[in-house]
Amino acid sequence: MRKVKWAAAAAGVVLLAAGCASEGGSDEDKGGQSPTAGSPAPAAASGAPGGGTVDAAAVKGQIEAAATSAGFTEQPGNDVPANLKSCMVSWTADAKKASDSRRSYDATVATLAKDGWKEIRAVDQPAAVVKSLDRGGWTLKASHQGKAGALLVVSFIATETSATCAKAFQEDLAKKQQ
C-alpha cells in the first residue's frame, strides 16, 4: 500500500514539476493569480546561501513551524524515499489531535503566506480544500480532506520544481512501476 501511495504521489509531482518547468507565459496564462498592484513581494528565500533556492530542510522547517504553531503535531511514518529527499518534503498532521483541524489548517496556510509562500491555486469544496503555494523554486500542496470522526487527512507536500528533481521523480516512478 505504501508503494502505491508513493507511486501516486510521485506521478502527481512529475506532472506538476514537468508542467511548471515547461510552461511559458505569465501566471495568469497558467491559471494562477498574478500579484495585484501594491501587494507585497514574497519574502527573500531562506535556507540557502545568498538567498537562492530554498533547500528541503528549510522547507520542512517552515512547514513544521507553521503547522505546530497552529496546533498540529506531525503524524509519524511519512518518510520520503532517500533518492527524493532533496526534492520533496512530506508533512502529515495528526489531525485527530487538533481541536479544530480546519481552523489549524487555515492558520498554517496563513502563516506560510506571511512567510513568503504565494498562493497560486485553491480548490475549496465541503469535504476537501487544496491550496497550491509557490516559493523559492518549490510548490507546496496543502490539503485538508475529510471530516472529524471520519477519514481526515491534513497534509503538506512540497516539491522542488527543477529539471533535476523532475527527472528524479520520473526515475522513481518508473522504478516503482516495474
Side-chain angles (χ1 to χ4, degrees):
M1 179 69 174
R2 195 181 260 332
K3 243 183 173 180
V4 172
K5 178 181 168 187
W6 277 113
V13 168
V14 167
L15 294 174
L16 172 70
C20 290
S22 65
E23 290 181 4
S26 71
D27 284 346
E28 286 182 324
D29 294 338
K30 298 176 198 171
Q33 303 169 347
S34 57
T36 58
S39 66
S46 63
T53 301
V54 179
D55 67 5
V59 171
K60 181 167 176 96
Q62 291 168 358
I63 293 169
E64 189 166 40
T68 56
S69 71
F72 285 128
T73 56
E74 187 174 13
Q75 182 174 318
N78 292 303
D79 297 327
V80 174
N83 60 323
L84 299 177
K85 281 194 183 273
S86 65
C87 296
M88 182 176 180
V89 172
S90 178
W91 201 97
T92 302
D94 189 345
K96 293 176 183 171
K97 291 184 179 177
S99 60
D100 183 339
S101 66
R102 179 58 196 261
R103 186 174 305 194
S104 292
Y105 168 83
D106 289 340
T108 301
V109 172
T111 298
L112 290 167
K114 286 178 189 172
D115 288 343
W117 288 88
K118 178 185 169 192
E119 185 175 314
I120 56 171
R121 286 182 198 85
V123 175
D124 194 345
Q125 298 177 349
V129 179
V130 180
K131 295 188 178 193
S132 297
L133 303 113
D134 275 348
R135 180 175 185 208
W138 286 78
T139 297
L140 171 65
K141 295 288 186 193
S143 66
H144 183 283
Q145 300 177 17
K147 296 180 187 179
L151 179 62
L152 177 62
V153 177
V154 179
S155 65
F156 302 90
I157 299 174
T159 56
E160 204 224 339
T161 58
S162 71
T164 302
C165 285
K167 182 179 177 186
F169 286 120
Q170 289 171 340
E171 289 170 353
D172 186 67
L173 180 61
K175 184 170 55 172
K176 285 183 170 61
Q177 288 178 339
Q178 294 176 356

